[in-house]
């Protein structure tokens, strides 16, 4: 679905899905489990085609495709299937003396008809993962894959309908016109992954209908490197977190390093050695590096490097192959803070290194910028780690490694401030697409006259005591109430 898709067609799709949702079709455990099993089966049966699509879009190495997208998507399905029955159960909570006798519970219920708009950098995972959460929570859903990753978008549009219930789950391909037509509609929840610029557009559209939304954006993710680390291990983990993750085209990839002036030369040397070991002397020819997604992004990255105040700071890499959209892993040392590369999210294979006298001074550098989606620290100093966690605000953190926090289904994944709002993964995906309905239940016993007019000083005294959690005024009132003539 895509060609000729306009506002009227979008309205029809939403109306059809809303009618299906009202029928109650998506609410049962059986329906939800069947869809999740079907998605897992689609992944199993089409692994080679998914890998090929990702290679077509990004020249993504097969190992990265399997580890970072295919395996994580399947694991999200299996994790949801394992936990779904428990997630769906109402959760009993305590009651207060003011409602005695009573019982209380929180009942998760699906929002209804939800829209998922995904990104191009992990085009399979970032499409399927939110859909898994939407289905697990019992919603009907429209998925709009990124038009930039055309091969993956086409694969999803062609194959997903053969596995899932099409009366509840739809795929809409297209670019700005199709996305705009979808955003004109009233949704019960919108989930968007992408840039902050487009995130503002999505949020503005959601405001018109007071639609709640999750925004998974990005930002400049810092890496602090202490001088007491195992430098060989740290270098490997930084390199694979930056360049072994879609060649830096990842929202949680390290965006810049901060280290001390004294330690910087050692770190640069370790990173150079590791880069050559991983990608060879000619990294532009390496089959283990993804390419830049398109010529527009290539030009953007080239312009960041060509800026006068930046080009002279390159200490490694910088080679470019515009024909094949490849840029070698590039290290830059002591880039000026007012350079464009230090103001915008890089989203590519360029890694500036900033030096400070004392690593704790870097906390101010980080906090002076918009809050990042992720922040990383390499250190053996537990006091520094504790202060880092306490002082720096970020969507998530990882100590002594990079990227791996994304793979833990027990941790929420999401941003804060300009890096996004809301979170998902595992139980948090289910929660993102569920309304937590509060239910308080009472019987017809336990009537307390003092809650009803006419109000008297004695009634007020008793009610104040109840609100404060003190049962003595209530017991006193129950004793003297029959004799109290003013009641």
């Amino acid at each position: 679905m895509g060609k000729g898709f306009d506002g009227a067609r979008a309205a029809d799709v939403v109306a059809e899905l809303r009618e299906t949702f009202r029928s109650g079709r998506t609410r049962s455990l059986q329906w939800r489990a069947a869809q999740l099993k079907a998605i897992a089966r689609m992944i199993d049966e089409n692994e080679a085609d998914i890998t090929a699509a990702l290679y077509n879009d990004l020249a993504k190495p097969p190992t990265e495709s399997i580890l970072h997208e295919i395996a994580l998507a399947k694991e999200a399905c299996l994790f949801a299937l394992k936990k779904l029955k428990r997630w769906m159960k109402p959760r009993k909570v305590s009651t207060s003396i003011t409602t005695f006798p009573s019982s209380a519970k929180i009942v998760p219920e699906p929002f209804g008809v939800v829209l998922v708009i995904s990104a191009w950098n992990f085009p399979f995972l970032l499409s399927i993962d939110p859909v898994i959460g939407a289905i697990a929570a019992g919603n009907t859903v429209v998925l709009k894959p990124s038009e930039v990753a055309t091969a993956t978008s086409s694969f999803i549009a062609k194959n997903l309908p053969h596995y899932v219930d099409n009366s509840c789950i739809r795929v809409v391909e297209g670019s700005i016109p199709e996305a705009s037509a979808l955003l004109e509609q009233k949704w019960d929840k919108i989930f968007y992954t992408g840039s902050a610029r487009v995130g503002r557009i999505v949020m503005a559209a959601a405001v018109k209908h007071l639609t709640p939304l999750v925004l998974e954006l990005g930002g400049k993710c810092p890496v602090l490197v202490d001088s007491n680390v195992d430098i060989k291990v740290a270098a490997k983990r930084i390199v694979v977190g930056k360049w072994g993750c879609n060649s830096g085209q990842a929202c949680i990839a390290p965006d810049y390093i901060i280290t001390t002036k004294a330690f910087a030369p050692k770190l640069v040397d370790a990173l150079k050695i590791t880069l050559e070991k991983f990608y060879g002397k000619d990294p532009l020819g390496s089959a283990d590096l993804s390419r830049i997604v398109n010529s527009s992004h290539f030009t953007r990255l080239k312009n960041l490097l060509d800026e006068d105040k930046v080009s002279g700071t390159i200490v490694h890499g910088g080679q470019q192959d515009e024909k094949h959209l490849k840029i070698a892993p590039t290290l830059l040392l002591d880039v000026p803070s007012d350079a464009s590369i230090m103001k915008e999210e890089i989203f590519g294979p360029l890694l500036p290194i900033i030096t400070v006298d004392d690593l704790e001074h870097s906390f101010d550098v980080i906090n002076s910028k918009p809050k990042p989606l992720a922040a990383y620290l390499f250190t053996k100093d537990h006091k520094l780690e504790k202060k880092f966690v306490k002082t720096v605000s970020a969507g998530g953190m990882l100590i002594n490694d990079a990227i791996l926090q994304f793979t833990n289904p027990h941790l929420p994944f999401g941003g804060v401030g300009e890096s996004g709002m809301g979170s998902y993964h595992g139980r948090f995906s289910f929660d993102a697409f569920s309304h937590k309905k509060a239910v308080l239940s009472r019987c017809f016993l336990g009537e307390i006259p003092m809650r009803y007019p006419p109000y008297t000083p004695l009634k007020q005294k008793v009610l104040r005591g109840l609100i404060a959690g003190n049962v003595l005024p209530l017991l006193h009132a129950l004793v003297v109430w029959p004799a109290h003539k003013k009641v």
Side-chain angles (χ1 to χ4, degrees), residues 32-344:
R32 303 182 200 195
Q35 307 313 304
L36 296 176
K37 289 176 182 175
I39 292 175
R41 190 170 69 253
M42 179 190 76
I43 295 170
D44 273 341
E45 294 176 357
N46 295 275
E47 182 179 300
D49 289 341
I50 298 169
T51 302
L54 293 170
Y55 186 83
N56 190 302
D57 286 328
L58 292 154
K60 187 170 288 194
T63 300
E64 280 190 36
S65 295
I66 293 169
L67 291 179
H68 299 165
E69 301 216 38
I70 297 170
L72 288 179
K74 183 179 177 182
E75 177 58 29
C77 275
L78 299 180
F79 189 82
L81 279 166
K82 181 180 179 181
K83 304 288 187 179
L84 187 55
K85 188 174 182 179
R86 184 188 308 171
W87 294 346
M88 290 176 62
K89 285 183 178 179
R91 180 166 62 90
K92 291 183 179 181
V93 295
S94 301
T95 58
S96 67
I97 191 171
T98 57
T99 63
F100 179 85
S102 64
S103 62
K105 58 186 177 182
I106 299 172
V107 180
E109 66 176 10
F111 278 110
V113 185
V114 303
L115 172 65
V116 174
I117 303 177
S118 69
W120 55 261
N121 56 327
F122 291 83
F124 185 74
L125 177 66
L126 297 184
S127 294
I128 297 300
D129 203 352
V131 169
I132 289 168
I135 292 170
N139 299 278
T140 57
V141 56
V142 170
L143 168 63
K144 162 65 178 66
S146 172
E147 73 280 6
V148 177
T150 55
T152 306
S153 176
S154 178
F155 169 85
I156 293 171
K158 178 182 177 182
N159 289 275
L160 188 60
H162 292 303
Y163 288 86
V164 298
D165 184 347
N166 290 285
S167 69
C168 307
I169 304 161
R170 304 285 183 86
V171 180
V172 174
E173 286 194 283
S175 54
I176 294 176
E178 290 76 15
S180 299
L182 289 169
L183 288 172
E184 289 172 5
Q185 312 309 312
K186 177 175 174 55
W187 303 91
D188 298 305
K189 189 77 179 262
I190 296 175
F191 189 108
Y192 168 76
T193 304
S195 68
R197 179 184 63 81
V198 178
R200 289 179 170 85
I201 296 171
V202 173
M203 193 169 188
V207 165
K208 295 177 183 178
H209 300 291
L210 294 180
T211 301
L213 73 168
V214 174
L215 296 178
E216 295 296 341
L217 307 177
K220 296 187 72 62
C221 300
V223 183
L224 279 64
V225 184
D226 201 352
S227 59
N228 61 14
V229 299
D230 183 325
I231 194 168
K232 290 183 179 179
V233 173
K236 288 192 293 185
R237 293 178 180 180
I238 293 170
V239 167
V240 80
K242 174 71 171 182
W243 294 280
C245 198
N246 212 26
S247 200
Q249 297 171 109
C251 54
I252 54 173
D255 190 273
Y256 63 102
I257 290 175
I258 304 180
T259 193
T260 61
K261 287 181 171 63
F263 188 66
K266 295 179 183 178
L267 180 60
V268 169
D269 287 343
L271 291 171
K272 287 180 179 180
I273 292 169
T274 303
L275 283 168
E276 185 170 326
K277 181 178 179 181
F278 285 3
Y279 304 114
K281 293 184 180 297
D282 178 22
L284 293 179
S286 173
D288 294 321
L289 274 174
S290 299
R291 65 169 170 80
I292 308 306
V293 66
N294 57 30
S295 58
S296 174
H297 282 275
F298 183 94
T299 300
R300 178 185 63 82
L301 291 166
K302 183 177 185 299
N303 290 339
L304 290 178
L305 274 182
D306 288 347
E307 190 175 350
D308 288 342
K309 62 184 73 176
V310 173
S311 58
T313 67
I314 297 174
V315 292
H316 182 77
Q319 304 95 320
Q320 301 168 22
D321 181 351
E322 189 167 2
K323 180 180 178 181
H324 296 99
L325 300 178
K326 290 259 191 169
I327 297 177
T330 302
L331 300 173
L332 307 100
L333 183 60
D334 284 327
V335 178
S337 60
D338 60 345
S340 297
I341 199 170
M342 291 308 300
K343 292 180 178 179
E344 62 182 72

Side-chain angles (χ1 to χ4, degrees), residues 339-401:
S340 297
I341 199 170
M342 291 308 300
K343 292 180 178 179
E344 62 182 72
E345 184 179 8
I346 296 171
F347 224 71
L350 319 177
L351 186 59
I353 300 172
I354 309 303
T355 59
V356 292
D357 293 322
D358 186 331
L359 204 57
E360 289 192 19
H361 294 164
S362 63
F363 296 172
D364 293 334
V365 175
I366 297 170
N367 289 332
S368 69
K369 302 177 184 295
K371 297 177 180 180
L373 185 57
Y376 304 104
L377 170 66
F378 286 80
T379 188
K380 293 180 180 179
D381 185 338
H382 294 296
K383 289 184 178 179
L384 180 65
E385 176 184 337
K386 185 176 181 180
K387 187 171 183 179
F388 176 74
V389 173
K390 182 178 180 179
T391 306
V392 173
S393 181
M397 291 180 164
L398 179 54
I399 310 300
N400 293 328
D401 213 322

